[in-house]
Amino acid sequence: MVSKQLKWILLIVLALIWGSSFILIKKGLLALNPFQLGSLRIVFCAIFLLLIGFKSLTKIPQYQWKYIALTALFGTFLPVYLFSVAQTQISSSVSSILNSLTPLNTLLVSVFLFGLGFKRIQFIGVIIGLIGTAILILNGNHHNVHQNNYYAFLVITASICYAINVNLIKKYLSDLTPLSITTGNFSVMLIPALTVLYFANFSEIIYFKETQHAMVFILVLAIVGTGIANILFFKLIQMSSPVFASSVTYLIPVVAFFWGMVDNEMLTPIQFIGAFVILIGVYLANKK
């Protein structure tokens, strides 16, 4: 009973943290380009995790480091840049809604890459989810002529990366502590992220007041929205299932939409319909 309650508590806490991440990315992009933002997010988080979890790296057997590297790539490295680039053209609210496709993509990855069976109702859910995605993107293009809403496909790609990540963790890393997995992930990514940051010409803007202000948002995003959240998420995966853990994306749009309204973002009525259709599809795709 305690375990069941704890997994729901973790789910809600993660929704609050990750639902707030999209507005932090938006604020960071006011002074940083997507590659500077993504790299700083990884670097700040890596430093934080190495300070609190360096000793946990010794608990990772040598044969599991290849899976640590893979989960680092799909779970963080690619998504942080994909989300940052996408939000230069689409709103934080739309980005969070498309992120809710993660459980649907988790099912597809489980079926096609990990051999999990599925039911007809789940296949129908996949189709409905894709229809809702098309509504959201196409209507966004119609009402936001100054934005390129096809950048939404970057968010969809990121959600596929997340789907691969949760399946890899459940299958290959369930015997490791969440702190070991998270610290291992970011220790692997630190040098590549610093390399990207160097070539993104960050040194040319670091002394600007606007840059330093944006870095505060990214510091919060890195420590709370990435480091602490990943530890909680890996714990949730281990004590539940990949699909349950990824269902946190049901709740994320609610939190993100609230922050979007605070920041004067608003969806069109058709986009609301598209978002609702996506959530129906994800719900059906997750039925056991």
Side-chain angles (χ1 to χ4, degrees), residues 110-136:
S110 298
V111 170
F112 291 108
L113 295 185
F114 293 86
L116 185 73
F118 67 96
K119 292 185 176 182
R120 182 184 301 175
I121 189 67
Q122 293 176 311
F123 177 75
I124 293 172
V126 170
I127 300 301
I128 292 174
L130 293 176
I131 292 172
T133 303
I135 292 172
L136 197 67

Side-chain angles (χ1 to χ4, degrees), residues 4 13 36 125 147 154 196 223 282:
K4 186 175 182 180
V13 171
Q36 293 165 347
Q147 294 184 349
L154 296 179
V196 174
I223 294 176
V282 173

